[in-house]
Amino acid sequence: MRFLPISILFLLITSCSLQTTKNLIVKEVSHIEVDNPYFSNTYIDYIYKAKIDIYGRKFGGILIIKKIDENSHRVVFTTEFGNKLFDFLFENDTVINNFVIEELDKKFIVNTLQNDFKLLVSQKNKVLNQFDSGLEDIYKTIDDKQFNFYFINKKSHILDKIVRTSKSKVIVEVLFSNVESVIANSILIHHKNIKLNIGLELFKKD
Amino acid sequence: MYKYVFILILLLFSSVQAQEEKMTVFEIESFKILIKEVAEKTNTITADFVQIKHLNFLTNDIETIGKIAFKTPNWVKWEYTKPYVYSVIFKENLILINDGGTKSDVKISASKLFKKLNDLIVKSVTGDMFDEENFNISYYKEAAAYKVIFASKDKKLASLIETFVIHFKKETGAVMEVKMIEPSQDFTKIVFTNRIENSKLNDEVFTN
């Protein structure tokens, strides 16, 4: 009897067309929250060289992320020369738009950027469902009308990937690699519905 | 006790004031002539630079290191070597970018604001920014340098960079330091060293 709700859920999930959960086994939720640890240390300035490819147009810059206090992150993007292009403050569930250069100040662009970086810095996320791929534990969370899936490698216990989806489609994937001391040296934000990729490489220390 | 602390602060403050004086009209004119002469006889410049980005919420400033090359009439190669490899060449109406091997060309006319900003960055290398139409300019002298503050008159530009502060070496008129201060008081400071003038620079230096 205990397995009945799980089986029904499994049927429901496999019957919808979302690729992300295809062939995954539904598990009982074992954690209330899933943790994204990458931007969680208030003592660290997270500085990345960024390469953006939008519909074939390539440009670069510097992405700066700082956890300001328990509930807020500052995310600033500048050109290589240091000119600010945008400056967001993420506080709990709200985003404060400190600055956006006029050229980028279009609703669609600002929303996309804010959604991407919110996904990147959201630290504690309430788990809705849990899955198993064999290699990873996958935690599903809800954010507004969309869902986020956190892929945690069973062997390394490292967060490898976050996937944001609608009910039926993948919207964006965030891939973390070369992780050392809870810092991801390489990050790729790969959009599936628009031709936008953001590649991030952590500043190297001498 | 507090009285002495107060006097000490006053003394410190007055000594800071004494280090920086307003230039007289005569000094300003002679300084402008010096800069013009330097610009006229300088065909090429190479220099190393350290760029410091200060954001008030960060624990440490962000430091990047690189080299610049300038050749008359107006070609500039700005090259970052650490902690990443990136170069940008300003040449006529083109910006040639090489972002760690990814090459791209941008026509400057694409954005008026970027054109303005790029022009200023290029001009700051030679110190050729004495444009009274676009800036309120004020002149100061320090022990070894002239300090010139360019306050943006243009509202759009001022929303990005409120003031440019350039330090010129007193004897030679060479640009030592450029500081770009944003309305939030965050700033980018570029300090030039190992400046060499009029060495031979092939055109190939300015290709991507």
Side-chain angles (χ1 to χ4, degrees):
Chain A
M1 190 60 200
R2 196 174 136 229
F3 293 105
L4 188 64
I6 295 169
S7 311
I8 291 168
L9 193 64
F10 180 69
L11 274 174
L12 275 173
I13 283 159
T14 47
S15 64
C16 80
S17 58
L18 185 63
Q19 278 301 111
T20 313
T21 47
K22 214 174 178 184
N23 304 324
L24 297 183
I25 298 161
V26 180
K27 282 174 72 177
E28 263 188 280
V29 174
S30 62
H31 294 73
I32 298 168
E33 282 179 330
V34 58
D35 193 35
N36 170 3
Y38 293 127
F39 302 99
S40 61
N41 190 333
T42 51
Y43 294 102
I44 298 176
D45 300 331
Y46 299 94
I47 318 287
Y48 287 85
K49 173 76 183 73
K51 282 189 187 183
I52 297 178
D53 185 336
I54 180 153
Y55 289 94
R57 258 195 74 190
K58 295 177 174 72
F59 66 99
I62 312 294
L63 181 74
I64 300 142
I65 302 177
K66 178 82 173 178
K67 187 175 179 187
I68 304 291
D69 56 43
E70 200 41 53
N71 301 313
S72 51
H73 283 83
R74 191 85 175 259
V75 177
V76 174
F77 193 89
T78 75
T79 65
E80 285 78 5
F81 287 114
N83 306 120
K84 253 182 225 167
L85 297 182
F86 61 79
D87 177 350
F88 301 141
L89 174 68
F90 294 89
E91 211 165 14
N92 296 317
D93 260 350
T94 61
V95 191
I96 296 164
N97 193 340
N98 287 332
F99 175 81
V100 177
I101 193 167
E102 206 182 291
E103 274 75 358
L104 290 177
D105 202 2
K106 315 259 179 322
K107 202 178 169 191
F108 174 72
I109 297 175
V110 173
N111 282 348
T112 304
L113 292 170
Q114 286 182 343
N115 287 338
D116 281 2
F117 293 115
K118 187 184 172 198
L119 187 62
L120 205 59
V121 300
S122 289
Q123 202 183 327
K124 303 255 180 225
N125 306 280
K126 197 168 174 273
V127 176
L128 200 66
N129 302 117
Q130 191 173 328
F131 306 88
D132 191 330
S133 73
L135 295 171
E136 297 137 322
D137 283 318
I138 297 131
Y139 301 90
K140 181 182 178 183
T141 70
I142 188 163
D143 183 8
D144 202 9
K145 283 174 190 154
Q146 296 177 338
F147 303 101
N148 299 329
F149 293 84
Y150 291 77
F151 288 72
I152 295 178
N153 191 301
K154 278 188 186 176
K155 250 191 190 168
S156 61
H157 304 288
I158 281 173
L159 173 64
D160 283 338
K161 181 165 81 171
I162 309 173
V163 180
R164 191 170 72 234
T165 74
S166 65
K167 274 184 182 155
S168 58
K169 275 184 183 157
V170 175
I171 297 167
V172 63
E173 278 183 354
V174 183
L175 308 167
F176 303 97
S177 50
N178 303 321
V179 177
E180 284 173 296
S181 318
V182 209
I183 296 177
N185 281 286
S186 308
I187 300 171
L188 176 67
I189 303 172
H190 177 50
H191 282 259
K192 297 284 190 179
N193 56 344
I194 50 170
K195 285 183 179 164
L196 168 64
N197 284 320
I198 304 173
L200 304 170
E201 288 294 327
L202 191 78
F203 266 31
K204 290 180 204 96
K205 287 200 180 100
D206 286 329
Chain B
M1 180 63 195
Y2 286 116
K3 195 171 82 183
Y4 294 113
V5 173
F6 181 68
I7 290 169
L8 187 70
I9 289 170
L10 262 185
L11 275 172
L12 277 172
F13 186 67
S14 58
S15 70
V16 168
Q17 290 257 306
Q19 277 175 13
E20 184 184 293
E21 260 179 71
K22 272 207 159 186
M23 282 162 75
T24 64
V25 177
F26 177 73
E27 282 169 332
I28 293 169
E29 286 317 309
S30 346
F31 168 67
K32 279 186 180 169
I33 292 168
L34 171 71
I35 297 299
K36 214 178 160 199
E37 278 173 3
V38 170
E40 272 167 13
K41 65 173 196 203
T42 310
N43 297 317
T44 69
I45 304 169
T46 58
D48 297 332
F49 71 83
V50 175
Q51 178 179 306
I52 291 150
K53 179 74 192 172
H54 172 83
L55 293 162
N56 59 15
F57 64 88
L58 287 184
T59 309
N60 297 301
D61 289 343
I62 304 165
E63 198 177 283
T64 41
I65 292 170
K67 292 187 275 192
I68 57 130
F70 164 85
K71 188 173 186 174
T72 48
N74 232 346
W75 292 4
V76 172
K77 182 176 190 178
W78 202 290
E79 187 179 11
Y80 294 89
T81 52
K82 266 185 189 173
Y84 55 84
V85 180
Y86 174 95
S87 69
V88 54
I89 295 163
F90 300 95
K91 198 175 169 184
E92 275 98 48
N93 283 329
L94 276 179
I95 304 179
L96 311 172
I97 296 166
N98 188 339
D99 190 354
T102 312
K103 293 181 182 181
S104 56
D105 303 348
V106 185
K107 276 218 169 101
I108 301 182
S109 56
S111 158
K112 274 186 189 168
L113 191 64
F114 272 110
K115 181 175 169 16
K116 220 173 203 176
L117 213 55
N118 288 326
D119 276 355
L120 290 172
I121 290 163
V122 170
K123 281 178 175 174
S124 70
V125 178
T126 53
D128 175 26
M129 276 185 51
F130 298 91
D131 174 4
E132 306 260 357
E133 215 173 279
N134 286 311
F135 297 103
N136 287 316
I137 309 175
S138 42
Y139 301 82
Y140 300 88
K141 56 183 175 186
E142 294 175 351
Y146 293 120
K147 177 175 137 184
V148 184
I149 301 175
F150 301 82
S152 310
K153 279 185 189 174
D154 181 283
K155 272 189 187 164
K156 246 182 167 184
L157 180 63
S159 73
L160 303 179
I161 298 169
E162 213 168 52
T163 50
F164 292 77
V165 183
I166 304 188
H167 280 78
F168 297 84
K169 208 170 185 175
K170 253 185 180 171
E171 311 90 71
T172 59
V175 175
M176 299 160 68
E177 185 187 305
V178 179
K179 192 172 174 184
M180 296 174 268
I181 306 167
E182 297 164 25
S184 62
Q185 298 308 302
D186 288 335
F187 63 81
T188 307
K189 187 165 92 175
I190 301 163
V191 181
F192 298 103
T193 53
N194 301 327
R195 178 178 162 122
I196 299 166
E197 283 166 16
N198 295 327
S199 64
K200 194 175 175 341
L201 268 186
N202 292 326
D203 286 359
E204 286 74 65
V205 173
F206 300 91
T207 50
N208 207 344

